[in-house]
Structure formats: C-alpha cells, structure tokens
Amino acid sequence: MTDELDLVFRALADPSRRFLLDLLFARDGRTQTELESELAMTRFGVAKHLKVLEEAGLVVTRRSGREKLHFLNPVPIRQIHDRWIDKYTEQHVTALIDLKRALEEEP
C-alpha cells in the first residue's frame, strides 16, 4: 500500500498532471488529443504525463474503436484522504482550530 501511495504522491506533485486530472474530473472519457488541446505541451509530453498517472492508478484507459479513452480513478486519492487527511479532521483538531480562530478574532 505504501509503495502505491508513493506513486500517487509523485504523480500528484506535478501541476500538469493535476491539471489533467481536473480535466478528467470535469468530463471523463477524453482522448489524448482532447487533453492535449488544453495544455501547452507536445503530444509526447502529454503522453508521458498520462503514463505516470496510469502507473499511479489515477487514470484508467479503455479502447473504443481506434480511440483510447482516459478516465479518472478517484480511489487512490480517497486512500490518501483516509490515511493522511481524515485523521487530522478529528473532533479535537477541529476544536483547536475553532479556538485559534476565536482567539484571533478578539480585538
């Protein structure tokens, strides 16, 4: 599991890859050509980014005739949320944040 999450963190570290995920979130099932039209980079560059996202499990592909469609797989992001984010939103942490905000608002 840790090795899988390492791949996800590495994939998410790049802003172009995050942008590709945002595009797929907005409309799933896009071709590489459709995704390329949204980025200022070569076809080869987009292909490399998509490969990293696929290896991390964040994007899955399916062939439809001659086209290769790309789909967002949100499961790895949810695993990160459950492991690294959710535990910090527990009640006692939320109470501390509320206290901090209240103290900062006082004149």
Side-chain angles (χ1 to χ4, degrees), residues 4-106:
E4 293 169 9
L5 289 181
D6 287 345
L7 289 174
V8 174
F9 277 114
R10 280 190 209 112
L12 292 173
D14 185 275
S16 295
R17 290 193 284 266
R18 291 192 305 268
F19 183 70
L20 286 167
L21 293 175
D22 288 339
L23 291 173
L24 292 173
F25 179 80
R27 189 171 57 81
D28 234 358
R30 294 186 192 217
T31 64
Q32 181 175 331
T33 303
E34 290 175 286
L35 294 168
E36 285 169 23
S37 69
E38 301 285 339
L39 287 163
M41 67 175 59
T42 65
R43 179 171 182 77
F44 180 71
V46 173
K48 281 179 62 174
H49 284 301
L50 287 171
K51 182 177 180 188
V52 171
L53 291 169
E54 283 184 63
E55 288 172 353
L58 291 163
V59 169
V60 293
T61 61
R62 180 174 48 94
R63 287 240 175 243
S64 177
R66 300 170 100 191
E67 296 181 323
K68 183 178 179 181
L69 303 176
H70 298 81
F71 297 88
L72 174 66
N73 177 18
V75 173
I77 295 171
R78 180 58 194 225
Q79 290 173 322
I80 287 173
H81 174 270
D82 292 349
R83 169 94 192 266
W84 294 103
I85 298 169
D86 196 40
K87 68 182 175 184
Y88 295 107
T89 59
E90 294 176 10
Q91 186 177 8
H92 65 280
V93 174
T94 304
L96 290 173
I97 291 170
D98 291 342
L99 176 62
K100 179 182 181 290
R101 284 188 189 132
L103 292 172
E104 289 174 348
E105 289 175 6
E106 289 184 9

